Structure formats: C-alpha cells, structure tokens
Amino acid sequence: MGAFFLSSLKSPSFFFYSLIVLCECQLALAGTTRHYHFEIKYKNVTRLCHTKNMVTVNGKFPGPRIIAREGDRLVIKVVNHVKNNISIHWHGIRQLQSGWADGPAYVTQCPIQTGQSYVYNYTVVGQRGTLFWHAHISWLRSTLYGPLIILPKLGVPYPFTKPYKEVPMIFGEWWNADTEAVIAQALQTGGGPNVSDSYTINGLPGPLYNCSSKDTFKLKVKLGKTYLLRLINAALDEELFFSIANHSLTVVEADAVYVKPFETNTILIAPGQTTNVLLKTKSQYPNATFLMTARPYVTGLGTFDNSTVAGILEYETPSHIVHSANSKKNLTLFKPTLPVVNDTSFAASFTNKLRSLASSQFPANVPQKVDKHFFFTVGLGTSPCPHNQTCQGPNGTMFAASVNNISFIQPTTALLQAHFFGQSNGIYSPDFPISPLIPFNYTGTPPNNTMVSNGTKLVVLPFNTSVELVMQDTSILGAESHPLHLHGFNFFVVGQGFGNFDPNKDPAKFNLVDPIERNTVQVPSGGVWFMHCHLEIHTSWGLKMAWVVLDGKLPNQKLLPPPKDLPKC
C-alpha cells in the first residue's frame, strides 16, 4: 500500500486536483528479512503529574522504531494482550500483492482480538525515507505509534548533503483521559470531542506545560554539523507548525519522496505526514540554548488544544570553554516565533513550495492521459438526533462528515475479504457516486439541509487505470481542513486553490512537470484501498470511503490469497 496524502484542504474554499496511477511494477530483488515482535500490553505512564494505564507496544510510549532498507522484507508479529481489538497500519508502505498487511480494521483485515496474534509480512519496494506505523482502529493510535525508517539501498547516497546524524522527532499528544472514552462520549452525544492536554515530541510535553520540565526532549548537537531531522506528525486531530529558534531548516523530503530542497524557518505538517529537514548547526559556540516548538494550525470553528510543545536544542560545549553547572542553567534561552494559529496564507505558501525532485534518478512520472474522472466534495454535515435523546451537535443534531454527502458506515467484516471471496452482497455496494448527486455552491451560503446520507459504498476500478480526482472542500458547518490519506495509490497533487474548482479555467494552471508526490510508486496488485481524513474525529464521523482495484491479467498483478493467521471478525 502506498499511503498517499493530499495535504490539507485549506478552508474556507479549497480544492485539489490530483492524479492517481495504477500501473505495473515488478517486485525488487530480495533484500534482508528483518523480524520485529510487537507485544500489545498495558503500561503505567506518567506525564503532567498524571499517571494512566495505557495501551502500548512493548511497554514503550511512543512505540519502538522500525528500521529497514529499500528492498528489505519486514516480518512483524503482533500479539494482543489487552481487552481492545487491535490492528496496525504501516503508514506509507506500498503493499505489493500484500494488501492483507495494510492494517485498517474492517477494511483489509478483521482486528486482532484479545489473546490472538497476526504476522504482518511485506516487502519494501522502490521506497526510501521516513514513514511511521500506528494503530488503525478507533482512537488507539493516540498511544500506539512509532517511526518506520527506510534507508536507501547500501551504497546509494542521499541526493543531498550526507548528515552527521539522523534524529527521528515524532509529534503526538498526551491525554489525561482515556481516548477510547473520549470518542465514545463524542459519538454518543453527537458533539465535538474533548481535546488533548498537551502535545508531545517523542512522547514528552516539554517545559511550557505545568509539571513537565523534566519530561523534555533535548537535541544535543555539535558545532558545524548537518543533522537530518525526520519529522512525523502522529497527532490525532491537529496540523502543526514547527520551528527552531534562530535556525533555518532545509526541506528535502515529504512522505518518503525526495523534494526540491528549499529553506524555511517554519514547517507545516499535518497528521499522518512526514517531512525530512536538514539542520545545519552554528559554526561558533552560541552561548545559548534554543527552543524547538510546535503548535496547531486550525481553520475550523471547533475547540482544539491551543497549547505549545517544546523541546530544547543544546550545543555541546567546546573543550576550551569552561561552564559550571550553574552557568549552564543560566544560558540565554531563545524561543521561535510561529505563525498565528489560523495563518492560511503561510500554510498555502509552504504547501506550494513542495515540488518533487524530478531528477533522472528520482523522476516524477506524471500520467499523460486520464482514464477516469472523479469529483469528490468533502466536509462536515449532520445526522438526526435519535429519539428520546438530547444531542450536542448543531441545532440539536449530531455531527457527521462525508465524501459526496455519503457518511461511511463501517462494516462488521473486512471489505478485502468480502471482495476476494466474492461475498460483497450485504457488506458493501460498488456504486459510490463519481460526483455530488446534488451540486451546489460549495463555498458559498450552505444549503438549508445539512443532513448526510449513510452507506458502505465503494468505487470499482480496473487494473492499470489513471484517475483524475478533484477534492472540493465545502463550507457546510464552517470551513475545515482535511488532510486526506489514501491507501494504495500513487498520488500527484498537480493543482490546488481557493474557491470552487473551475473545470474550464483551472486545468491550465496544473503542474505536470514536478508536482509533489505524496508517497510514491505504482500499485501492481488489486485489492480494497481505504481513503479517509487523517483528522481522527472526521474519520469517526464518517469522512472515509474505499476503492476496489480489480486484478490484472499477469500473476504479479493479482492479490495473493490471505495468510492462514488472518484474524477473524
């Protein structure tokens, strides 16, 4: 599965034009087989002077780092020792003929039940860069996540300065409450969910929160060196600005795809996205320390955690400089200036700078013909309040979210199994609309009726299809950002803009030369591939759908049978 992001749909009126390619690809020659073991178990963890019993992998928060090289095979056994059902998604990995290992619960697999295990077995083909893994059921990814780092093949250099050191930095959240209780309450009342108590860097909230100074991520660096920071946003619901005081960053990769390098003081990273940046340290000792901070970018009307996480960049003291323990504590501490919380101008400018490297070694193979055209609206809506219940959504309704006004109903068995065994009747229907059934002024005055329809509807595509997909944000119930995540496809974002998409004028502005490619390469096998908003509350409200890609004619274009230990529902 190549997991593909369309970066956030910027409100109030934002559309994307993008190209998806399904084409043939040969499996690479075998590399090393790397084995990992994930024990899902409870662990007491304390942050902000609050101790909670949380679900973890191997007792770690965040979870363990997975490291592989391009061409390696990963065999990861997951054993579930907790009461919750579990599934793990390898976010950004292309599952070539191994769709059973993709991970979203009730889409490619039934979840792993208490006391059961499942082996995720897949090969990393044609990819290198920073990805991550996370739980893909309910809101369990709030604690179940970790880096997935793919190094280039041995002897293949980076297309940028070789770093002195590589440092994963994964943004997340700390919740004093149980996130399963948080989403259960929100779905019961129909209102917005409670928000997190802090953001974290590598699981640590940092010194700007009460009772948290000891839980601070510190990056210790040497003078005159280049560091590769592997940035990952694993937060549930917030896009984040990130900056390091008095230092610039050079962006060199996004979603495990090399990009044309550009320098910036601040980056924007949405949930599910990864960004690699080069940090060049100062050549002379600065006699100071520097905060590294992140805080949300929000355009919607709902409540959110408007706090700031901080880590500290510290320089190693040269041997000719003598510091007492006291003087080290009294070093000047510089703080970066981040954009304001709703700075859509910065967000759009940053996103527009992202361009594929498009070199001879790493080309941007933008399709030159389109076989299928789709126009999807994405946004919020409402559902009626059940009888004899008071709901906290707009005007006494329940919040909902939809694609083409269809709010996805999660099935009780896995869609991929239903498809593979020809048992789709009563589980899903292959009639997802290619465009909105009732067109309206998507970014103007909202329609009087904001109710969504519900269903488990999928799009069916032949193998080797090139798809044009326009994503149109709507202003129903206020404008929202939607970092959309697509499993299994090659996605070039060739255009973006504000207002309603104009099919007559906007195509002339498309970038067909070096558009950003959010998680790369083609899909050689069929299967069922999930598309959803990576803001977890929007996914819970139904902003998701799936594509069925039929098998091709050749053996390497067909989905293999399921593994014997595939979990049962």
Side-chain angles (χ1 to χ4, degrees), residues 26-350:
Q26 299 295 326
L27 290 177
L29 295 175
T32 300
T33 297
R34 301 178 187 268
H35 293 266
Y36 287 86
H37 199 86
F38 278 18
E39 298 279 343
I40 311 296
K41 58 185 181 181
Y42 295 111
K43 174 77 172 180
N44 282 337
V45 179
T46 301
R47 299 287 188 272
L48 310 182
C49 284
H50 182 92
T51 300
K52 63 184 287 188
N53 193 236
M54 64 164 57
V55 180
T56 68
V57 171
N58 300 345
K60 297 181 177 180
F61 171 69
R65 186 183 311 176
I66 288 180
I67 300 178
R69 286 194 181 276
E70 180 184 346
D72 285 352
R73 177 184 172 204
L74 284 167
V75 179
I76 305 162
K77 183 173 184 178
V78 178
V79 185
N80 184 11
H81 299 288
V82 303
K83 65 180 180 181
N84 309 82
N85 287 342
I86 296 294
S87 72
I88 304 292
H89 171 49
W90 318 96
H91 186 114
I93 292 289
R94 293 169 56 240
Q95 300 290 359
L96 303 184
Q97 295 186 283
S98 56
W100 306 105
D102 191 26
Y106 302 106
V107 178
T108 61
Q109 68 168 91
C110 297
I112 307 165
Q113 299 178 39
T114 306
Q116 303 297 308
S117 66
Y118 181 46
V119 176
Y120 292 90
N121 185 341
Y122 55 87
T123 300
V124 181
V125 180
Q127 292 181 277
R128 78 297 302 165
T130 302
L131 299 171
F132 74 118
W133 59 264
H134 61 80
H136 211 304
I137 182 169
S138 191
W139 279 25
L140 288 170
R141 74 176 182 89
S142 63
T143 62
L144 294 179
Y145 63 86
L148 200 174
I149 295 168
I150 308 167
L151 301 172
K153 291 181 178 180
L154 278 172
V156 177
Y158 293 125
F160 47 78
T161 303
K162 182 180 179 181
Y164 170 74
K165 189 176 181 180
E166 302 182 12
V167 182
M169 293 176 61
I170 189 161
F171 303 109
E173 292 153 316
W174 171 263
W175 300 71
N176 288 337
D178 175 8
T179 51
E180 292 302 277
V182 170
I183 183 55
Q185 180 187 38
L187 294 179
Q188 173 68 28
T189 64
N194 292 330
V195 301
S196 59
D197 294 278
S198 76
Y199 299 105
T200 59
I201 299 175
N202 292 346
L204 302 171
L208 303 184
Y209 296 100
N210 290 332
C211 194
S212 186
S213 59
K214 65 180 177 56
D215 293 321
T216 299
F217 172 70
K218 295 184 178 181
L219 177 58
K220 299 185 179 181
V221 298
K222 295 184 176 183
L223 295 173
K225 301 291 186 182
T226 298
Y227 291 77
L228 178 65
L229 307 184
R230 297 179 176 270
L231 306 176
I232 302 164
N233 187 349
L236 291 186
D237 287 312
E238 305 303 345
E239 301 180 66
L240 296 169
F241 294 119
F242 171 74
S243 184
I244 302 177
N246 293 17
H247 290 73
S248 63
L249 303 169
T250 301
V251 178
V252 293
E253 180 197 299
D255 288 359
V257 179
Y258 295 135
V259 301
K260 288 183 168 65
F262 67 92
E263 195 171 300
T264 182
N265 293 323
T266 302
I267 73 152
L268 174 64
I269 185 166
Q273 289 184 336
T274 64
T275 306
N276 280 5
V277 298
L278 296 178
L279 166 68
K280 188 165 177 44
T281 59
K282 298 180 182 299
S283 57
Q284 295 186 337
Y285 184 66
N287 214 33
T289 55
F290 306 89
L291 282 183
M292 307 180 289
T293 62
R295 75 167 181 226
Y297 163 61
V298 177
T299 58
L301 302 176
T303 58
F304 62 97
D305 179 356
N306 192 18
S307 64
T308 302
V309 61
I312 297 177
L313 179 72
E314 293 182 348
Y315 277 80
E316 185 178 290
T317 308
S319 56
H320 66 276
I321 296 178
V322 179
H323 269 312
S324 67
N326 209 37
S327 64
K328 273 191 175 182
K329 288 182 181 178
N330 294 328
L331 288 176
T332 303
L333 178 63
F334 290 99
K335 185 177 181 179
T337 300
L338 291 169
V340 296
V341 70
N342 62 348
D343 194 342
T344 296
S345 175
F346 175 89
S349 173
F350 179 84

Side-chain angles (χ1 to χ4, degrees), residues 465-488:
T465 301
S466 294
V467 171
E468 171 193 309
L469 173 61
V470 177
M471 306 294 296
Q472 173 73 58
D473 194 13
T474 71
S475 58
I476 297 175
L477 301 185
E480 286 270 4
S481 276
H482 303 288
L484 285 160
H485 175 45
L486 178 62
H487 297 230

Side-chain angles (χ1 to χ4, degrees), residues 332-375:
T332 303
L333 178 63
F334 290 99
K335 185 177 181 179
T337 300
L338 291 169
V340 296
V341 70
N342 62 348
D343 194 342
T344 296
S345 175
F346 175 89
S349 173
F350 179 84
T351 302
N352 285 330
K353 292 176 183 175
L354 292 167
R355 301 293 179 97
S356 291
L357 188 59
S359 66
S360 57
Q361 187 178 4
F362 303 104
N365 294 316
V366 184
Q368 299 303 305
K369 71 177 183 68
V370 172
D371 302 313
K372 299 275 187 180
H373 297 258
F374 295 90
F375 183 91

Side-chain angles (χ1 to χ4, degrees), residues 435-459:
S435 60
L437 298 178
I438 303 176
F440 60 98
N441 181 1
Y442 307 113
T443 57
T445 302
N448 292 328
N449 182 7
T450 61
M451 293 290 176
V452 301
S453 60
N454 300 281
T456 309
K457 297 177 182 287
L458 279 61
V459 172

Side-chain angles (χ1 to χ4, degrees), residues 483-507:
L484 285 160
H485 175 45
L486 178 62
H487 297 230
F489 295 94
N490 190 9
F491 220 122
F492 291 97
V493 181
V494 299
Q496 55 190 359
F498 294 91
N500 292 335
F501 175 73
D502 186 332
N504 297 313
K505 296 180 180 179
D506 289 323

